Amino acid sequence: MTVPAELLDCRGQRCPLPVIAVARRLPELPVGTVVRVLADDPAAAVDIPAWCRMRGQEFVGRITGPDGPGYDVRRSV
Amino acid sequence: MSAPPVYLDAATAAPLHPVARQALLAALDDGWADPAKLYARARRARQLLDAAREATAQTLGVRPDELSFTPGGTAAAHSAVLGGLAGRRRAGDTLVHSAIEHSAVLHAAQRHVADGGTAVSVPVDRLGRLDRDAWSAAVAAPGVAVAALIAASHEVGTVQPVAEAGAACAAAGVPLAVDAAQVVGRLPVPAGWSILTASAHKWGGPPGVGLLVVRKGTRWESPWPADEREAGRTPGVVNLPAVVAAAASLRAVAADAAAEAARLAPLVDLIRARVAAEVPDVEVVGDPVERLPHLVTFSCLYVDGEALLHALDRRGFAVSSGSSCTSSTLRPSHVLEAMGVLSHGNVRVSLHRETTAAEVDRFLAELPQVIAELRAEAGVVGL
């Protein structure tokens, strides 16, 4: 199980804001770092994996926790 | 002086074809009576309805008694699915459909599930192409009553393998309902279906006319309260003037379809190429080859879809979007979701017989700046 190094709380934000948040933060972290994006906008489920694909980053997976859906992204480039 | 508006949303509604307008005006004077009654006025209306049915059936290559006019494409799609399920309830209660059907088909599926039935969604790949193996397995499973496949995606333009999907259905003894709304009047109607639906305002006919074709021998039962109109397939008096206009315009657009497709397909190729080359961080979606001649979709990273539509509208461009912020449900397009492509900043451009190369050129010239401005406002440049 992946333990994220950082949590980005994007609950209540509409797309593309959660994608923008991860796009801003991820390049500031070392390669290999995993960030978890908490986002309740249903578009995040589509757009965060799509962003990872377009940017060559790794989409680790979606988790469902007490805080709602979260999306784990690992900086790979 | 601002430039004239450019309408690029034919996949929602094509501008009224001049032949449709002419036929509509004539039929308003001549076709208002109830075609079912027994007097001269009614017989005149009946003649117009019969002629419209004959002409439309001929264009589609079907028998006139297989064709019913409905109050629109949505009603036709509902009838196709729910009637197909009703007619085959002894065979089972499962509806198989692709993940990228029109919402009219999916809403009928939801009704079916709410009533205790089963619906199986078959996935598509990143280009929006049906997973053929999954489809064949799904339709061959026990208890399948009917299958539904869109002929070509109304959102991304990818043409589906209807003939092959239909062969799998035939092998399993399952009727196939095909939503051909984006195909009729533009491309030849594919083979392999048992039930076919279309919508007149997609080809330049008036809104409020749908086509429902049920092949002879197909087990189909009206899901609506009994009504003898339209071979018992759709209740209520048809909007005859609109039906006459739909039939006349379909004949006209079908005659020009090959030439129009040859004219529009290169414009779509141009949009695909220039958007990809001139707009940074954009994903042009849908199959680049097996696609509709008049429709193209792309998504722009970090751009709000609603803001993009408004910005384009201010410059006179009418386009559509599958982004969640542009939908009443605030959910992204289920088609983009099924394909796994970016859903925000999404634009669908769809061309029609009045679209000129100059209009497309103007759109392509202005689009990069519109997107750059939105990104600058949002502070996302360089991300």
Side-chain angles (χ1 to χ4, degrees):
Chain A
M1 159 129 192
T2 312
V3 181
E6 194 168 311
L7 211 58
L8 296 176
D9 189 351
C10 299
R11 287 174 294 173
Q13 297 180 7
R14 299 221 177 281
C15 262
L17 295 178
V19 175
I20 291 171
V22 69
R24 277 195 212 288
R25 185 61 184 134
L26 204 66
E28 296 171 350
L29 301 167
V31 170
T33 310
V34 175
V35 166
R36 176 165 296 171
V37 189
L38 294 179
D40 45 18
D41 182 353
V46 185
D47 287 356
I48 291 176
W51 177 84
C52 289
R53 182 170 47 75
M54 290 171 79
R55 280 289 183 260
Q57 305 295 356
E58 183 190 349
F59 179 67
V60 181
R62 176 191 160 120
I63 55 107
T64 310
D67 300 324
Y71 305 89
D72 288 353
V73 175
R74 179 181 281 119
R75 183 174 173 198
S76 48
V77 288
Chain B
M1 196 190 103
S2 62
V6 176
Y7 184 78
L8 299 173
D9 196 17
T12 295
L16 194 67
H17 194 287
V19 165
R21 181 185 165 76
Q22 204 176 20
L24 183 63
L25 291 174
L28 282 172
D29 288 333
D30 215 15
W32 49 265
D34 184 336
K37 296 298 176 182
L38 302 174
Y39 34 73
R41 270 283 174 199
R43 282 193 294 277
R44 177 62 189 138
R46 166 59 64 182
Q47 280 174 353
L48 289 173
L49 180 57
D50 289 347
R53 194 183 320 279
E54 188 78 39
T56 304
Q58 195 175 22
T59 303
L60 296 176
V62 304
R63 291 166 47 146
D65 59 355
E66 294 174 327
L67 168 66
S68 299
F69 294 106
T70 72
T74 297
H78 290 168
S79 294
V81 171
L82 297 177
L85 288 164
R88 293 250 306 156
R89 65 168 76 83
R90 278 183 211 87
D93 73 345
T94 300
L95 165 69
V96 172
H97 62 81
S98 84
I100 60 163
E101 293 305 297
H102 190 275
S103 56
V105 167
L106 297 183
H107 289 151
Q110 282 165 12
R111 163 65 63 88
H112 176 60
V113 171
D115 289 345
T118 306
V120 174
S121 179
V122 176
V124 296
D125 68 8
R126 176 89 18 93
L127 295 179
R129 299 176 300 192
L130 183 72
D131 182 331
R132 295 160 195 230
D133 292 340
W135 175 271
S136 297
V139 298
V144 176
V146 67
L149 179 60
I150 196 163
S153 172
H154 59 301
E155 289 203 31
V156 301
T158 303
V159 170
Q160 301 302 320
V162 172
E164 197 182 325
C169 287
V174 170
L176 174 63
V178 168
D179 165 9
Q182 294 300 336
V183 164
V184 167
R186 295 191 182 274
L187 292 175
V189 173
W193 52 269
S194 296
I195 306 168
L196 188 84
T197 60
S199 175
H201 71 150
K202 310 295 189 190
W203 71 65
V209 179
L211 306 183
L212 171 66
V213 188
V214 180
R215 278 279 193 220
K216 274 277 170 270
T218 304
R219 287 190 180 276
W220 183 93
E221 193 178 294
S222 173
W224 314 116
D227 191 300
E228 68 212 14
R229 308 267 173 183
E230 293 300 296
R233 294 191 196 107
T234 188
V237 181
V238 296
N239 179 352
L240 184 56
V243 163
V244 168
S249 55
L250 179 58
R251 188 154 49 180
V253 297
D256 291 342
E260 268 299 276
R263 185 179 77 86
L264 296 180
L267 292 177
V268 167
D269 283 334
L270 184 71
I271 297 171
R272 291 187 73 95
R274 281 188 55 188
V275 166
E278 296 171 22
V279 178
D281 293 327
V282 73
E283 186 168 46
V284 181
V285 302
D287 194 310
V289 181
E290 294 296 321
R291 61 165 177 80
L292 290 168
H294 67 296
L295 190 157
V296 51
T297 305
F298 52 89
S299 296
C300 309
L301 208 51
Y302 312 133
V303 174
D304 180 289
E306 188 177 12
L308 180 49
L309 291 202
H310 289 317
L312 287 169
D313 181 48
R314 279 195 295 276
R315 288 169 178 254
F317 298 108
V319 297
S320 193
S321 173
S323 294
S324 54
C325 47
T326 66
S327 82
S328 55
T329 59
L330 293 175
R331 287 198 65 84
S333 143
H334 65 277
V335 175
L336 301 176
E337 192 172 6
M339 294 165 65
V341 296
L342 198 67
S343 79
H344 68 247
N346 179 258
V347 171
R348 181 187 70 183
V349 174
S350 49
L351 316 180
H352 52 89
R353 56 181 291 283
E354 294 173 16
T355 305
T356 64
E359 287 178 335
V360 169
D361 206 55
R362 201 186 118 209
F363 174 75
L364 290 170
E366 297 194 27
L367 180 72
Q369 195 195 340
V370 169
I371 291 168
E373 283 172 7
L374 289 170
R375 284 178 172 153
E377 279 168 29
V380 296
V381 177
L383 277 189

